[in-house]
Amino acid sequence: MNSETYLDFCFIRKSSGNFAAEVDEMLSRLFKGVRLNWYLDEKIEDDMEIVVAEVKGMSKWQSEEETIAYIEEHAEDTFWDTLQGYKMFIYPAKRGCGSCGTH
């Protein structure tokens, strides 16, 4: 069953332009085939480009550990070179009805 997935990433690099578009392309390759969407917020401070990516949607991962394992296996070097922080929440679907959990 699919899980509700919420991921936040913060990417930072020295200012050279077009960083949000590069992060968008990087996330497109990383999450190809996964039902996730993202919003990117970009700003420049002290000659550094900062992109915060808010990612959400449905995924097959049942835990944060599974998500991290997937990212470690599939992320490109650029992802790791520019990643400065992350936060994630994975909410697996519960089996059964919402009120008693058994039907």
Side-chain angles (χ1 to χ4, degrees):
M1 294 186 84
N2 286 335
S3 302
E4 290 183 59
T5 303
Y6 299 91
L7 312 170
D8 292 327
F9 298 106
C10 179
F11 300 97
I12 301 175
R13 75 172 185 191
K14 188 152 182 69
S15 186
S16 63
N18 210 26
F19 193 32
E22 291 177 33
V23 169
D24 183 60
E25 185 62 33
M26 182 172 49
L27 294 175
S28 294
R29 289 188 299 270
L30 177 60
F31 296 124
K32 185 178 181 178
V34 182
R35 291 177 35 204
L36 297 174
N37 298 301
W38 48 87
Y39 168 78
L40 303 179
D41 183 28
E42 179 181 33
K43 63 182 172 181
I44 298 175
E45 277 189 30
D46 299 326
D47 201 34
M48 301 298 287
E49 290 177 293
I50 303 164
V51 174
V52 174
E54 297 176 12
V55 182
K56 63 182 177 179
M58 302 300 286
S59 72
K60 64 182 178 180
W61 307 308
Q62 297 296 304
S63 68
E64 286 81 6
E65 291 79 14
E66 280 185 42
T67 307
I68 291 169
Y70 174 88
I71 293 170
E72 286 178 345
E73 185 176 325
H74 294 89
E76 304 167 352
D77 289 341
T78 306
F79 180 92
W80 299 113
D81 292 342
T82 57
L83 181 69
Q84 297 299 310
Y86 71 91
K87 168 173 73 170
M88 63 180 62
F89 300 98
I90 309 299
Y91 300 106
K94 295 183 179 177
R95 299 191 192 286
C97 76
S99 60
C100 72
T102 60
H103 294 103

